[in-house]
Amino acid sequence: MSILEKLNAVKDTVPHYWPIGAFIHHNPLKGFEHLNFKDGLDKAQSIFGGKVYMDPDYYIALYNEGKIKTEQLEKNLLRLLKESNLENNLKEAKTFMLEISPLWNSLRSYEELKVHDIDEVLHTYLEENSIYMNTEAWIESLTEHMTLYEIHDALFGTTEKELIEKEVIEYITRFLDKQQTTLSMEDRDLGMFNTFKLYENIDYVVCAENYVLDALEKLKVEDVEKYFLTHILKLHGWAGYIKYRSENKEYLPQQEHPSTMMDYMAVRLHFELKYMQKEKINDFDKLKAYIKENTPYAILKLLREKGKLTGTYNDAMEDHQNYQEILDAYVKDEINLNSLRVQLAKKELPELDMSLIEFSNFSNFLKKEEGFLWLKSLEDSYIMQHVDEFTTPHTYDEKPLSSIVFCLDVRSEVMRRKIEESGPYSTYGAGGFLGIPISFVEFDKAHTLALAPAVIKPQNIVFEIPVESHEEYNSKKSINKTTKKVLSDLKNNPYTPYIMVEAIGWMFGVKLFGKTFFPEKTNKLFNNMKPKKPKTTFTLDKLTINEIEKYVRRLHTNIINEVLTTQSDTKLNKDELYVLWEHLVFNRDLCMKVSPDIIKISPDIINKLKHAYHITGKDYSLQKEKLAQVGFTIDEQVMYLENLLKMIGLVKDFPKFVTISGHGSCSDNNPFESALDCGACGGSISLPNARALCMIGNKPEIREKLKEKGIDIPKDVKFLPALHTTTTDEITFYDTDILDEEELKLFSKMDKDFKKASLASREERVAVLPNANKQEDLFIKTMDWSEPRPEWGLAGNMCAFAGPRDSVRHMKFNNRIFLHSYDSSIDNENADILTRIFDGPLVVGEWINLEHYFSTVDNNIYGAGSKVYHNVVSKIGVYNGNYSDLKIGLPTQSVLEEGKAYHEPVRLLTYMEAPLEIVGKAVENSVAKEFILNEWIRPIIIDKAAKKVYSYESGEFIVIKELA
């Protein structure tokens, strides 16, 4: 296996880290999804350490509250005990989990050791089966996933790790910088490692792969694959971002400043060699020899590094006592404490007919399995409760005035309930990008936004263009741009504060103190200064070949004219510019009859037009290709609207208004803001997708085509786009100018009802959001720059439902469910519609769910820590203080309240109302097949035709309820 293959074999241990401007929720253990959920967590825990389940106290509290049902706990516990022929000990096992397990660590007590005799048979058994009797295995365990410099620091008290990691972080933050700093690193276009050679004065020509190979040989690394993983784990946030870049060739920063995981490994190993070469123990061969000669001392030092030595042993080491004697005393005490724990625990179960040795194995078995047992019992309790409610019959006969399509985002659930309660309205749910992936170019912006799930690359570009005069906008925009530029300079340039602080310091004062003490008034002041965007439309139709060629030619000739007039004082008329353009692009001869001014143009200017401004045949073809992606064909427009309508089951009995709502969040000074926007749109607002589909839906020619496909939309039906702001639950409508006078009256009624629904939704949400006592507080949270929790976001998510809304409309989920509309009777035998739901919404739902799960279970390892300590770095993400690893996952404010779990970590309970055969076909066809079958979600199938409810467990569908 080559060195590259060895690196590739371990790099997927860390997931992609998307830059924070397009924050993508992700499963931090995605690299383990090829394993069953339980096995994957066991392996991840052995690599990352930390926790993968909540503590027993957490689950016991839920059990005492009644959330975990006794019958579910006993059922799962009995199944586990049967596998080990221990089913007769169900009562004792349950007592152990509820009463003894929470005290397990406290039973290892030095005080109790003084007054209790240790059973010699048990002590001997534990000693013989302990790792302490195998010195090599013990040392290997203590040095697991430690680099050479970390082991060196532990043994000799050096600080190489701090120096090395600081050097690595300083270099990669500067190289990967996305224009956060004005003092950019030079020569980054050479790539990460080639730039690094200049940075560190490496004066010989070598590629990153050979450099790494040489470094590993110098360090005498035996298990290269394992050592790669060890280095990746040191800064797995940065490693995840570099992995994301290297595997996304279309990511512009990667194109401009290439980087690979091998480059990153070369940087890390370079600094390891640089700082270790001055040390006597500077490779693994020397390290092994040293440990062999000083085994007791080395083990004690490693134990101290791991925080496993008490003061008694530390004091003895400081006094330079005999290290072997100290180690022997440590081992004896450890075995005694373990023996004592077993003995004390056994006393709590006097009726249990087991020897102490048998009980030791029994208790260790239960401790190993209890996390998964509790988790599954909690999930099963919810599943049975939900299934009973899902299968309770309800009917809703009133024909709605309006149907509104929301994102399936859990934050839509309360809003949908309140809208349905407010009047004759039906609601639907779909993935936030609404099945129409677009690369969107917002009005007055130059960059594209990929408004689609991260696994989908949009192939169609949509421009937002004005349809009315906007002189006032241009005027205010230019003022704001100037102000923004000045403020940016003031923050980044070391000289401008001396010159400009007196002139514009007042602006900082207004924002700083205003946002702190008067956020509402300050927000209003600055909103009045913002330019108001003019009315716009979208470029939804494909350009003709003639239009494309015309636009590119105009672009090129405008550039040529600008260069000639500003850099050579040459003015050409339209025909002359065209002749020069043909010469540059098609290499045609210049015609002297047109104008002698063309011939006088210097060769330098011609070369500049070709090389600096790219007026070439190659660029002409490239620009035409890009413009060919603008808009959709008629067939594509029909397909996307048909797909959405069929996916949600709205194919007949259309109401007067079909509202399609995108969603987004609103908060100030919040690096994680994109995590609160639409996950199905790459962490952006999904309004453009909604507007695009509504514009398509209102076209008569599209409706004619749909009619041929069996979807007859009456002429008087209007599609209206809207935006749901999740922080305030406001619904804002767009493009209502298409309505006539009578329609506006109906719309006015609907608008008022939706405002009442928004108010009711806020009333429900304000009760659970900290530091919010009334509705106004929700608005203030969106504009207060010091607010760490503008909303709960997706915290609390626990389940997803794909089926008719009427099956769950009567249920209250408190913003904890992803609701995707689906009608299996419309689907075909190949389950194409359900497969699309699996491929998009379910994939994103699993990422969201498991990121919340692991960020809650162990925020130190899988989360981002507190926002209070965050600094934005390189416009990529956040780290703590002046330097640290990139923080992955979610901040504590997103999942914890007052240090306790607000989010309830369970796998995504995924309910599908469809025949079992349809679900099975969709699973087979879906990209989500791996994590579905490996139970990273919990699939439950409600097959009303077969009158059965199935749960997928341990590789098979089992019936959990028979329907009447």
Side-chain angles (χ1 to χ4, degrees):
M1 186 184 289
S2 72
I3 194 169
L4 180 59
E5 289 171 327
K6 290 178 178 179
L7 179 57
N8 287 339
V10 298
K11 69 178 183 179
D12 285 339
T13 303
V14 294
H16 282 348
Y17 178 98
W18 281 267
I20 204 162
F23 187 96
I24 305 294
H25 289 285
H26 59 279
N27 176 8
L29 300 186
K30 181 166 178 57
F32 301 86
E33 285 180 350
H34 63 286
L35 301 171
N36 176 270
F37 174 79
K38 184 174 177 294
D39 296 333
L41 264 59
D42 288 343
K43 184 172 182 180
Q45 189 170 35
S46 71
I47 293 173
F48 291 102
K51 300 188 299 183
V52 290
Y53 303 105
M54 298 295 282
D55 293 329
D57 286 348
Y58 174 81
Y59 295 114
I60 291 169
L62 295 180
Y63 178 84
N64 291 332
E65 289 175 27
K67 283 190 175 181
I68 298 178
K69 304 299 182 184
T70 299
E71 58 268 29
Q72 300 303 329
L73 176 62
E74 290 181 351
K75 179 192 71 174
N76 288 317
L77 188 51
L78 183 60
R79 183 186 297 128
L80 177 70
L81 293 172
K82 280 183 176 178
E83 293 172 1
S84 301
N85 296 317
L86 294 168
E87 59 268 31
N88 293 331
N89 302 118
L90 174 62
K91 179 182 175 183
E92 291 82 3
K94 183 180 172 185
T95 300
F96 181 91
M97 288 182 63
L98 288 169
E99 299 177 14
I100 299 174
S101 180
L103 306 173
W104 191 243
N105 292 331
S106 66
L107 295 178
R108 295 179 87 253
S109 166
Y110 279 100
E111 292 301 316
E112 293 291 332
L113 199 57
K114 296 175 184 177
V115 297
H116 285 84
D117 294 328
I118 299 301
D119 185 273
E120 290 184 9
V121 176
L122 175 62
H123 184 281
T124 301
Y125 174 80
L126 293 179
E127 185 177 43
E128 289 174 349
N129 288 275
S130 73
I131 197 171
Y132 309 132
M133 297 301 103
N134 186 335
T135 303
E136 287 188 8
W138 193 7
I139 292 171
E140 186 177 343
S141 171
L142 289 170
T143 57
E144 182 83 3
H145 301 308
M146 289 181 74
T147 58
L148 178 65
Y149 56 84
E150 288 177 308
I151 300 172
H152 192 279
D153 284 354
L155 296 181
F156 305 110
T158 52
T159 57
E160 307 295 12
K161 177 178 180 177
E162 182 179 352
L163 296 170
I164 290 169
E165 301 299 356
K166 188 174 183 180
E167 290 263 34
V168 171
I169 293 169
E170 183 175 343
Y171 175 74
I172 60 178
T173 54
R174 291 181 62 189
F175 178 84
L176 299 172
D177 176 62
K178 292 171 64 179
Q179 298 180 327
Q180 181 171 345
T181 175
T182 54
L183 303 174
S184 296
M185 178 182 284
E186 297 181 354
D187 301 313
R188 290 192 290 163
D189 57 307
L190 299 175
M192 178 178 275
F193 182 64
N194 288 328
T195 307
F196 183 69
K197 288 193 291 185
L198 298 175
Y199 182 83
E200 279 290 299
N201 294 318
I202 300 172
D203 58 0
Y204 56 96
V205 178
V206 63
C207 68
E209 194 168 333
N210 287 335
Y211 191 87
V212 168
L213 191 59
D214 183 54
L216 292 169
E217 289 175 356
K218 289 178 179 177
L219 292 169
K220 308 295 187 203
V221 174
E222 290 184 359
D223 190 336
V224 171
E225 199 171 308
K226 187 174 181 180
Y227 205 59
F228 279 156
L229 176 58
T230 295
H231 265 282
I232 287 172
L233 293 175
K234 297 305 106 177
L235 298 172
H236 62 280
W238 287 110
Y241 176 60
I242 293 168
K243 175 174 171 279
Y244 160 75
R245 283 171 52 105
S246 65
E247 295 178 0
N248 187 355
K249 304 303 181 186
E250 296 179 354
Y251 182 50
L252 185 59
Q254 174 69 6
Q255 293 175 354
E256 295 176 339
H257 312 129
S259 64
T260 67
M261 287 293 283
M262 190 64 74
D263 291 343
Y264 176 59
M265 201 55 59
V267 171
R268 291 195 58 85
L269 291 172
H270 169 83
F271 284 122
E272 183 166 23
L273 282 172
K274 177 179 176 179
Y275 281 92
M276 291 305 298
Q277 65 185 359
K278 68 181 185 296
E279 305 291 351
K280 287 184 179 180
I281 309 298
N282 55 18
D283 66 43
F284 279 99
D285 285 352
K286 294 174 183 175
L287 178 68
K288 283 183 179 178
Y290 176 85
I291 291 176
K292 188 174 182 179
E293 292 174 8
N294 304 275
T295 300
Y297 176 79
I299 291 176
L300 287 167
K301 280 285 196 175
L302 290 167
L303 287 169
R304 175 188 283 181
E305 176 66 20
K306 303 288 185 180
K308 295 185 177 182
L309 288 187
T310 62
T312 302
Y313 307 114
N314 282 317
D315 291 343
M317 289 184 69
E318 293 297 328
D319 293 339
H320 303 287
Q321 296 178 20
N322 185 297
Y323 296 122
Q324 186 63 61
E325 289 181 1
I326 299 171
L327 187 60
D328 289 343
Y330 170 83
V331 170
K332 182 179 179 181
D333 279 351
E334 287 296 300
I335 300 296
N336 282 339
L337 288 168
N338 289 339
S339 300
L340 175 67
R341 175 164 61 186
V342 173
Q343 291 174 221
L344 294 177
K346 179 69 168 59
K347 281 186 177 181
E348 300 299 317
L349 297 168
E351 297 178 2
L352 180 61
D353 185 19
M354 283 184 182
S355 70
L356 284 172
I357 290 175
E358 290 172 328
F359 178 70
S360 174
N361 294 330
F362 180 62
S363 56
N364 288 333
F365 170 69
L366 289 175
K367 286 300 293 181
K368 182 177 182 296
E369 300 291 339
E370 69 176 340
F372 182 73
L373 268 174
W374 278 121
L375 173 68
K376 188 172 185 302
S377 299
L378 175 59
E379 293 169 347
D380 288 347
S381 299
Y382 274 124
I383 288 170
M384 296 312 299
Q385 173 190 336
H386 291 159
V387 166
D388 287 344
E389 293 188 73
F390 287 159
T391 53
T392 302
H394 284 78
T395 56
Y396 304 92
D397 299 325
E398 186 177 9
K399 179 175 171 59
L401 165 68
S402 166
S403 292
I404 179 166
V405 183
F406 278 97
C407 177
L408 58 85
D409 188 297
V410 296
R411 292 167 291 179
S412 300
E413 188 266 334
V414 172
M415 195 68 214
R416 289 177 64 175
R417 266 194 289 116
K418 299 305 179 183
I419 284 175
E420 289 163 346
E421 291 169 7
S422 70
Y425 308 111
S426 61
T427 68
Y428 293 85
F433 77 117
L434 302 165
I436 182 166
I438 58 177
S439 285
F440 183 66
V441 184
E442 188 181 354
F443 169 64
D444 205 25
K445 297 288 194 308
H447 61 279
T448 61
L449 286 173
L451 302 184
V455 294
I456 299 175
K457 174 163 177 57
Q459 300 299 315
N460 303 81
I461 300 172
V462 172
F463 287 86
E464 183 182 26
I465 56 175
V467 292
E468 65 181 11
S469 176
H470 50 283
E471 286 80 7
E472 182 183 353
Y473 176 87
N474 290 340
S475 175
K476 279 193 173 184
K477 190 73 174 177
S478 63
I479 293 172
N480 281 358
K481 280 185 176 179
T482 303
T483 304
K484 188 175 181 180
K485 176 73 166 61
V486 169
L487 293 175
S488 178
D489 285 345
L490 185 58
K491 286 189 291 183
N492 295 316
N493 192 310
Y495 305 111
T496 49
Y498 293 103
I499 306 167
M500 306 179 73
V501 69
E502 290 184 5
I504 62 169
W506 67 273
M507 299 191 71
F508 279 107
V510 170
K511 276 208 167 184
L512 178 63
F513 295 106
K515 288 280 186 179
T516 305
F517 300 110
F518 311 104
E520 195 169 5
K521 291 182 179 179
T522 306
N523 191 65
K524 186 175 181 179
L525 169 66
F526 281 91
N527 278 343
N528 290 334
M529 295 172 63
K530 286 181 183 177
K532 184 180 178 182
K533 184 189 287 190
K535 178 175 169 51
T536 62
T537 189
F538 291 171
T539 55
L540 293 175
D541 296 323
K542 284 286 185 187
L543 298 169
T544 65
I545 294 176
N546 287 338
E547 286 174 323
I548 290 172
E549 291 177 344
K550 175 184 173 183
Y551 288 141
V552 179
R553 184 168 66 245
R554 184 185 300 169
L555 169 68
H556 278 178
T557 53
N558 285 344
I559 293 172
I560 294 169
N561 186 54
E562 182 70 17
V563 172
L564 292 180
T565 55
T566 59
Q567 300 184 35
S568 71
D569 200 25
T570 302
K571 291 186 178 181
L572 301 180
N573 62 35
K574 185 177 178 181
D575 291 336
E576 292 166 339
L577 285 170
Y578 182 67
V579 170
L580 180 55
W581 174 75
E582 285 191 318
H583 169 69
L584 294 167
V585 172
F586 301 119
N587 204 27
R588 292 179 183 167
D589 292 335
L590 291 173
C591 179
M592 285 187 285
K593 292 182 180 179
V594 176
S595 171
D597 290 336
I598 296 180
I599 308 302
K600 293 178 183 178
I601 298 172
S602 73
D604 287 344
I605 292 294
I606 296 293
N607 283 331
K608 185 176 283 190
L609 286 168
K610 286 182 178 180
H611 301 298
Y613 295 94
H614 308 291
I615 312 299
T616 62
K618 182 179 179 181
D619 187 71
Y620 179 61
S621 299
L622 178 65
Q623 298 298 341
K624 287 203 300 180
E625 286 177 17
K626 288 165 73 174
L627 283 176
Q629 294 177 358
V630 173
F632 304 86
T633 65
I634 292 296
D635 288 341
E636 285 176 329
Q637 293 179 44
V638 171
M639 174 193 71
Y640 283 124
L641 186 57
E642 178 189 13
N643 284 349
L644 175 69
L645 296 176
K646 284 186 174 179
M647 189 157 58
I648 64 175
L650 180 59
V651 294
K652 60 182 180 180
D653 299 326
F654 287 88
K656 175 63 182 175
F657 300 121
V658 178
T659 303
I660 301 179
S661 177
H663 74 99
S665 182
C666 180
S667 55
D668 204 355
N669 190 33
N670 182 11
F672 288 87
E673 183 175 11
S674 58
L676 300 176
D677 284 334
C678 183
C681 284
S684 296
I685 291 175
S686 51
L687 174 63
N689 305 70
R691 287 191 70 192
L693 266 179
C694 287
M695 290 178 189
I696 290 170
N698 286 324
K699 290 183 175 183
E701 63 271 30
I702 300 297
R703 296 191 185 187
E704 286 299 318
K705 294 270 188 181
L706 282 175
K707 192 172 183 179
E708 297 170 9
K709 295 174 176 287
I711 301 177
D712 188 3
I713 305 174
K715 291 181 180 179
D716 66 333
V717 171
K718 296 294 172 66
F719 285 80
L720 294 175
L723 176 67
H724 173 208
T725 305
T726 56
T727 36
T728 60
D729 273 332
E730 293 174 292
I731 302 287
T732 306
F733 290 92
Y734 291 80
D735 302 338
T736 55
D737 56 327
I738 65 170
L739 304 179
D740 61 31
E741 190 174 341
E742 289 301 313
E743 290 170 336
L744 280 171
K745 291 178 182 177
L746 291 173
F747 169 76
S748 178
K749 167 73 168 60
M750 181 176 75
D751 190 31
K752 288 177 182 177
D753 287 342
F754 279 28
K755 282 181 168 57
K756 291 177 185 176
S758 294
L759 190 149
S761 181
R762 287 194 292 271
E763 287 287 350
E764 189 168 313
R765 285 202 309 114
V766 78
V768 297
L769 192 62
N771 303 316
N773 301 311
K774 53 186 184 298
Q775 289 196 33
E776 289 75 10
D777 294 337
L778 298 182
F779 290 89
I780 292 174
K781 278 176 172 285
T782 68
M783 58 188 78
D784 184 351
W785 75 278
S786 62
E787 174 57 60
R789 190 187 284 112
E791 58 164 293
W792 270 123
L794 294 150
N797 76 85
M798 63 173 295
C799 56
F801 175 76
R805 172 61 174 156
D806 283 357
S807 294
V808 294
R809 185 171 168 178
H810 59 287
M811 298 173 67
K812 183 178 178 181
F813 282 98
N814 301 310
N815 279 356
R816 301 194 66 187
I817 185 170
F818 296 98
L819 285 168
H820 200 300
S821 300
Y822 171 66
D823 185 346
S824 61
S825 67
I826 298 174
D827 213 343
N828 56 27
E829 292 182 358
N830 203 41
D832 287 341
I833 295 174
L834 190 57
T835 301
R836 285 200 298 272
I837 293 174
F838 283 4
D839 286 349
L842 187 59
V843 169
V844 174
E846 189 243 18
W847 290 358
I848 291 169
N849 171 263
L850 290 175
E851 183 169 49
H852 280 77
Y853 178 102
F854 291 111
S855 294
T856 305
V857 166
D858 198 325
N859 198 269
N860 288 330
I861 291 178
Y862 302 110
S866 174
K867 288 181 179 180
V868 174
Y869 308 109
H870 288 168
N871 282 319
V872 176
V873 54
S874 304
K875 289 188 178 179
I876 295 170
V878 297
Y879 61 12
N880 282 345
N882 294 326
Y883 73 96
S884 78
D885 194 9
L886 267 184
K887 293 300 179 182
I888 66 171
L890 298 166
T892 55
Q893 286 82 1
S894 293
V895 292
L896 306 180
E897 182 181 5
E898 302 295 333
K900 296 182 180 180
Y902 173 82
H903 177 76
E904 196 170 86
V906 294
R907 287 172 289 178
L908 193 67
L909 314 179
T910 306
Y911 304 96
M912 293 150 281
E913 188 174 314
L916 181 61
E917 297 77 18
I918 290 289
V919 175
K921 180 67 75 173
V923 171
E924 284 299 317
N925 296 341
S926 174
V927 297
K929 176 182 177 180
E930 184 176 69
F931 73 68
I932 293 174
L933 297 183
N934 284 329
E935 299 180 62
W936 291 79
I937 63 169
R938 293 288 308 276
I940 300 98
I941 297 89
I942 303 169
D943 188 341
K944 290 188 174 178
K947 296 186 177 181
K948 287 178 172 39
V949 179
Y950 303 89
S951 174
Y952 184 78
E953 298 181 30
S954 304
E956 61 179 344
F957 288 101
I958 61 172
V959 177
I960 60 172
K961 184 175 182 179
E962 300 273 0
L963 302 180

